[in-house]
Amino acid sequence: MSVDWRKCVEAEQVEKWRHLDSMCCGIEVYRANRFLILRPGTDLRVLPSCHYNNGFVDSPTAIVNTTSMGGMVEMGIMGKPLSVNDEFTACSLEHSGLDPDSTVAFGTAAHMENASIVSKVSREGVRVSVAVTGGVRGNGGRAGDPASFDEAEREYSWKSGTIVLIVAIEAVLTDGAMLDAMLAATQAKSCVLQELQARSLYTHRIATGSGTDQVGIACLRGQEATVDRAGVATDVGDAVCECVREALFEALDLQSGMNLGTQCDPYVLLSRVGIEPTDVHNTFRYPYTAAKILEADSKLHGDARAATVVQAALGVIDEVARGKVSEETGLGVIRSLFEGPLISEEDVGPVSMVLLDACETMRDYLCLAMAIYLNRICGEAEAIL
């Protein structure tokens, strides 16, 4: 089902701009409607990889991050030429009192109330600020995964899950330094996703971003550059990375509840290789009620010991996928990770032992080993009662 996006834009009530925060470069940040509005207080140069007014842009009147209107509106645009999406963006900007011709616009499914803004000063005194929105659960992917969008079709394709990084640097940067800063911000983003073990939805690998991520670098506009390098090994690049890391961790937590705590969950980690709780449940015939199994499941979600073992096992699976070790060797290593630290001889009955020995793939072994461990948790809970 789709609706006419024009009618939705016309029906949207225009809100009064609400001041939210301040960034470097004299940028004041406002919230209104679906927009996070960065209003420059001085002349800026921007390098955005966004969908609207991208490339090098001089003296924009606003830099905007906008939340999409939702599935039905996107369905009304999907499959249409990209010019239709540009028209939708221009109408939305104009409806909210912004000049479409001089506004740089990013887009995402994330809500602007979940934006994170962080500012820091580099060791050499350069001020850096970032405004970040983040979602990766609905569109996480790893560089090198099979493409899900054919740019030759030139059609709008909507995916839920986008990380938008808008970086401001209070200095005059060369074109090369702006590209350096964009690369530094991108590398910092990928580091955060690695640490969170965010999964790709297209392969069994760890995501490096989403298929619709966007980055923008804003700096002062002047005659003579004061910064000609801004990569990760530079003073400015280091400040960019620190800001992006802090802001992205917060934004992903606000938008998706994704943080180091929630990711320390065996089931969340196992989902990367396609193992869901139902796969574990169906591997074993439990002598317990459904209520007791669900109670054990809730304990397993917060089991840091099990999560650590599972994460180590996934590392072995990654090594096998890369061809560094054989499947047989990988299976043997995973057995040693589980048998002792998580499951003991007392947990494994005669039939389960036969089944464990019969496992020929790492995935089958993981399902069965986790099922036996879940059965152990059920038994421990019953013993306490």
Side-chain angles (χ1 to χ4, degrees):
M1 178 181 176
S2 64
V3 297
D4 187 341
W5 61 263
R6 295 173 185 82
K7 292 182 179 179
C8 292
V9 171
E10 292 170 0
E12 190 169 24
Q13 184 178 0
V14 178
E15 297 177 352
K16 183 179 179 181
W17 290 16
R18 169 169 52 92
H19 187 263
L20 190 66
D21 209 334
S22 298
M23 296 172 63
C24 69
C25 298
I27 296 172
E28 298 299 330
V29 185
Y30 300 89
R31 276 280 291 113
N33 293 83
R34 293 173 287 112
F35 301 120
L36 185 74
I37 304 164
L38 280 60
R39 189 67 112 175
T42 188
D43 200 12
L44 297 183
R45 190 169 199 219
V46 183
L47 174 60
S49 67
C50 58
H51 71 283
Y52 188 84
N53 284 343
N54 54 18
F56 284 100
V57 178
D58 290 332
S59 308
T61 58
I63 304 168
V64 172
N65 192 4
T66 176
T67 304
S68 62
M69 277 190 146
M72 286 195 292
V73 177
E74 270 81 18
M75 289 297 293
I77 304 174
M78 233 184 275
K80 303 286 179 63
L82 289 175
S83 59
V84 175
N85 188 49
D86 290 341
E87 185 183 354
F88 165 73
T89 302
C91 288
S92 297
L93 293 171
E94 190 170 19
H95 185 71
S96 294
L98 292 158
D99 178 9
D101 293 333
S102 61
T103 297
V104 172
F106 298 80
T108 175
H111 202 288
M112 292 304 115
E113 291 294 342
N114 295 328
S116 176
I117 299 170
V118 171
S119 296
K120 294 184 182 297
V121 179
S122 76
R123 291 184 300 275
E124 295 181 7
V126 178
R127 296 180 64 205
V128 175
S129 300
V130 302
V132 176
T133 56
V136 74
R137 292 196 189 278
N139 192 23
R142 186 176 182 85
D145 284 352
S148 59
F149 171 67
D150 182 359
E151 66 278 5
E153 295 293 332
R154 302 301 297 162
E155 293 179 351
Y156 173 78
S157 177
W158 177 79
K159 284 283 188 179
S160 174
T162 298
I163 295 172
V164 175
L165 310 172
I166 304 174
V167 181
I169 302 171
E170 199 166 82
V172 180
L173 273 64
T174 62
D175 290 356
M178 293 181 77
L179 290 166
D180 281 344
M182 181 175 282
L183 181 58
T186 302
Q187 288 181 304
K189 173 196 70 174
S190 295
C191 288
V192 170
L193 298 181
Q194 291 284 128
E195 291 174 37
L196 288 171
Q197 295 282 296
R199 70 186 182 106
S200 165
L201 273 68
Y202 306 97
T203 62
H204 290 162
R205 300 187 292 179
I206 299 172
T208 54
S210 85
T212 51
D213 287 355
Q214 299 145 64
V215 183
I217 305 297
C219 69
L220 300 179
R221 190 162 176 251
Q223 296 296 318
E224 187 173 343
T226 56
V227 174
D228 58 8
R229 292 287 186 274
V232 294
T234 67
D235 176 65
V236 170
D238 183 46
V240 169
C241 292
E242 285 187 18
C243 285
V244 168
R245 280 180 54 81
E246 183 177 332
L248 183 54
F249 269 118
E250 181 179 39
L252 290 172
D253 190 14
L254 291 171
Q255 179 66 35
S256 307
M258 179 183 280
N259 56 53
L260 292 172
T262 58
Q263 291 297 103
C264 189
D265 179 332
Y267 280 137
V268 170
L269 296 170
L270 287 168
S271 69
R272 180 159 72 86
V273 291
I275 297 177
E276 303 295 335
T278 53
D279 298 312
V280 174
H281 296 167
N282 293 334
T283 303
F284 200 90
R285 296 294 173 255
Y286 293 93
Y288 300 104
T289 64
K292 287 182 179 177
I293 294 172
L294 290 175
E295 181 183 353
D297 255 346
S298 66
K299 293 180 179 179
L300 186 54
H301 280 298
D303 192 328
R305 181 182 179 85
T308 302
V309 172
V310 168
Q311 184 163 323
L314 293 180
V316 175
I317 291 176
D318 290 338
E319 295 296 273
V320 171
R322 284 189 280 265
K324 293 176 69 174
V325 297
S326 67
E327 172 98 12
E328 182 181 4
T329 299
L331 180 57
V333 173
I334 289 177
R335 285 180 184 276
S336 66
L337 290 172
F338 274 83
E339 295 173 14
L342 280 194
I343 55 177
S344 63
E345 292 183 2
E346 291 76 19
D347 302 320
V348 184
V351 174
S352 297
M353 182 63 72
V354 172
L355 294 174
L356 285 171
D357 290 339
C359 288
E360 295 182 350
T361 69
M362 295 178 289
R363 187 186 187 283
D364 288 345
Y365 180 86
L366 282 175
C367 280
L368 182 56
M370 290 303 298
I372 293 171
Y373 184 61
L374 184 63
N375 187 62
R376 173 183 176 176
I377 295 174
C378 289
E380 290 174 349
E382 190 171 75
I384 292 173
L385 291 173

